[in-house]
């Protein structure tokens, strides 16, 4: 996807968020993760039904299952 179109797509949408436990996503790399929580499954399903783009953030405490925005680091990666 061309960078200009990709940037427009990101700036015009609210992206589904996927919190990662004990993993960090970096730009231009592949990462695998398990989908176990219902909120993560919903985010993946929403992305799959639309443009397949998500926002991946690392979770501060890996043992926590119900996370809120305060439980996530503020920097993450937009991914497809």
């Amino acid at each position: 996807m061309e960078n200009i179109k990709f940037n427009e797509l990101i700036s015009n949408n609210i992206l589904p968020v996927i919190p990662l436990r004990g993993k960090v996503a970096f730009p231009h790399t592949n990462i695998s993760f398990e989908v176990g929580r219902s909120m993560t499954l919903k985010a993946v399903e929403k992305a799959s039904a639309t443009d397949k783009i998500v926002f991946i953030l690392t979770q501060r405490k890996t043992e926590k299952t119900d996370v809120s925005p305060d439980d996530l680091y503020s920097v993450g990666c937009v991914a497809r």
Side-chain angles (χ1 to χ4, degrees):
M1 182 179 261
E2 195 175 297
N3 277 344
I4 295 170
K5 291 180 184 177
F6 188 71
N7 289 337
E8 287 175 9
L9 185 65
I10 293 168
S11 65
N12 294 330
N13 288 304
I14 296 173
L15 301 175
V17 174
I18 296 180
L20 297 179
R21 294 189 208 194
K23 290 188 176 188
V24 178
F26 291 97
H28 307 289
T29 60
N30 291 324
I31 186 170
S32 62
F33 56 91
E34 294 180 14
V35 177
R37 294 180 277 191
S38 62
M39 68 175 171
T40 305
L41 182 58
K42 286 178 187 176
V44 170
E45 287 173 345
K46 180 173 180 171
S48 295
T50 57
D51 49 25
K52 297 181 178 41
I53 296 176
V54 294
F55 188 49
I56 299 176
L57 295 164
T58 301
Q59 187 173 315
R60 292 181 188 273
K61 295 181 180 178
T62 59
E63 68 279 355
K64 196 162 185 183
T65 56
D66 292 325
V67 294
S68 68
D70 292 335
D71 299 318
L72 303 171
Y73 287 100
S74 59
V75 176
C77 281
V78 175
R80 177 175 303 136

